[in-house]
Amino acid sequence: VYNSDGNLHGNQTRYYPSYKEETCKDDGNHEPHMISSGLLVSSKEDCCESNFFWAYEVCMNDGNPIGPTDLYFADFMSGKCLQDCH
C-alpha cells in the first residue's frame, strides 16, 4: 500500500522513470499516475532495466553518456571489428 507521495508505508524509497532525462529518480517528484501504473519500484536497477533496457548504463549513470570502454564490437555495415575509444 502506497502513501500519497508514492512511497510504501514505512517511507521506503521508490524509483520512477524520468523519460526526458533517460534515468530513474527517487526524489518523490513522479507523476501521480505512476503509482497506479506500477511504475514505482524499489531499486534503480529494476527501474532502469524495465524502462531503459536499451540504455541501461546511461540510466544508471543518471542519464549521462558512458565514456569509451576500449572494447571491440562488430560493425556490420563495414564488416569490421571496431574499438570503442576516443
Side-chain angles (χ1 to χ4, degrees), residues 1 5-6 11 26 29 35 37 45 65 69 79 84 86:
V1 178
D5 64 0
N11 208 25
D26 64 347
N29 293 325
I35 298 170
S37 299
E45 291 84 359
T69 63
D84 178 24
H86 300 275

Side-chain angles (χ1 to χ4, degrees), residues 3 9 28 32 34-35 43 49 55 60 67 70 75 78 80 82:
N3 298 322
H9 287 292
M34 291 184 169
I35 298 170
S43 74
E49 186 175 304
M60 291 298 294
D70 291 330
D75 178 22
S78 68
K80 298 178 180 180
L82 302 177

Side-chain angles (χ1 to χ4, degrees), residues 12-76:
Q12 292 178 336
T13 299
R14 305 301 284 179
Y15 289 87
Y16 68 93
S18 174
Y19 297 107
K20 183 177 179 181
E21 298 174 57
E22 224 172 46
T23 191
C24 291
K25 296 182 169 190
D26 64 347
D27 59 9
N29 293 325
H30 57 275
E31 298 292 326
H33 72 86
M34 291 184 169
I35 298 170
S36 61
S37 299
L39 292 173
L40 303 182
V41 295
S42 60
S43 74
K44 187 170 186 171
E45 291 84 359
D46 288 344
C47 180
C48 288
E49 186 175 304
S50 296
N51 297 283
F52 302 103
F53 60 89
W54 67 92
Y56 178 82
E57 293 84 9
V58 172
C59 178
M60 291 298 294
N61 197 38
D62 296 328
N64 296 311
I66 304 298
T69 63
D70 291 330
L71 298 175
Y72 288 88
F73 63 94
D75 178 22
F76 296 104

